[in-house]
Amino acid sequence: MANTVTFNVSSNAQPGITVNHMKYALYKQSDLTTIVTAQSFAPAHPERTVSFPALTRENWRFRLLEVLPDNTTIVREMDYFDFVPGDNSITYFPPEEIQVDVTAGLVNGTTSFIFDGTGGTEDWRGRTIYTERVGQGTMQKGVQYSWDTATGTFTLLTPEDKFQPNELFNIEFATIVSSISGVLPQTLFTGILIVTGATTLTASDIGKKIIIKGASSAF
């Protein structure tokens, strides 16, 4: 096992989220005030993957920061999470605010929307979401709304509930951790050979699963 690994963090496109820079910063848990390594990007902010090579296998903190063009002055912390780098890649989706009659596909008077990337909508398929209705608090999944991650369909469940003109929803997404390296499983046996009393074994039989077949209950 290597002493160091590469940590990859991916984020979805965020056009218009800020007119400032976005800074991807890493800190060690032993010193949460000192940036060990960071990368900054000017707007606009498209979908991107940022790689941090040669990280030691220890406790780290990732912070996504909005900073001024000097890359030092922090405007706000957009999100953070703790991790131990391994043979994994982390896909991170910054929280989003969607607004009825403003966000594509979200229309007042309806009870559902589909964010599957068609018709100008965002593509939220495959994500786990946490929903807050501004002014009403965190919504209860399965009671107040349902979410179909396969189709990207969000549906209000409370009777008579509908999306109201210009109301806001804050959405947070679960971080996705996926394996990106490691030894692929190999075939244990290259073939099967049934051995009887008339079988001659050769060097080419090495690596085969060999079954000895007796003529009776004795071998």
Side-chain angles (χ1 to χ4, degrees):
M1 180 179 293
N3 292 326
T4 61
V5 293
T6 297
F7 170 70
N8 300 302
V9 57
S10 302
S11 60
N12 58 319
Q14 292 291 301
I17 190 172
T18 176
V19 296
N20 293 309
H21 287 48
M22 288 174 61
K23 188 172 187 176
Y24 297 66
L26 295 185
Y27 303 72
K28 290 188 176 182
Q29 284 288 339
S30 57
D31 183 1
L32 294 177
T33 61
T34 303
I35 295 178
V36 177
T37 182
Q39 297 184 42
S40 298
F41 301 89
H45 298 293
E47 179 178 342
R48 64 167 60 97
T49 297
V50 182
S51 295
F52 294 95
L55 294 187
T56 52
R57 296 177 184 269
E58 58 184 299
N59 294 324
W60 292 80
R61 172 165 294 183
F62 167 80
R63 296 178 70 196
L64 182 63
L65 305 170
E66 178 184 352
V67 296
L68 295 181
D70 62 11
N71 286 326
T72 300
T73 305
I74 297 175
V75 177
R76 61 173 171 145
E77 180 179 69
M78 302 177 70
D79 208 352
Y80 77 91
F81 55 80
D82 299 325
F83 69 98
V84 176
D87 296 325
N88 296 308
S89 179
I90 292 182
T91 303
Y92 164 77
F93 304 102
E96 295 191 27
E97 182 178 78
I98 58 177
Q99 185 173 9
V100 177
D101 298 328
V102 175
T103 301
L106 183 54
V107 181
N108 81 78
T110 63
T111 59
S112 67
F113 62 76
I114 300 176
F115 281 5
D116 61 359
T118 63
T121 65
E122 298 192 50
D123 191 352
W124 288 359
R125 291 174 298 175
R127 306 189 199 179
T128 298
I129 70 172
Y130 307 98
T131 306
E132 179 188 8
R133 201 170 194 171
V134 175
Q136 299 184 32
T138 302
M139 299 183 70
Q140 186 175 358
K141 185 177 180 180
V143 176
Q144 295 177 300
Y145 76 96
S146 65
W147 169 248
D148 188 327
T149 184
T151 63
T153 302
F154 179 102
T155 305
L156 296 173
L157 298 179
T158 305
E160 306 301 325
D161 190 13
K162 296 180 180 180
F163 297 122
Q164 301 303 308
N166 298 311
E167 73 170 324
L168 298 169
F169 292 82
N170 288 325
I171 310 296
E172 292 189 0
F173 305 95
T175 298
I176 299 175
V177 179
S178 56
S179 177
I180 60 171
S181 63
V183 179
L184 295 175
Q186 302 295 317
T187 302
L188 184 59
F189 299 101
T190 59
I192 298 176
L193 175 65
I194 297 178
V195 177
T196 66
T199 302
T200 300
L201 297 179
T202 66
S204 63
D205 295 321
I206 297 175
K208 293 181 179 179
K209 177 186 286 186
I210 298 177
I211 301 175
I212 300 176
K213 184 178 181 180
S216 62
S217 58
F219 290 98

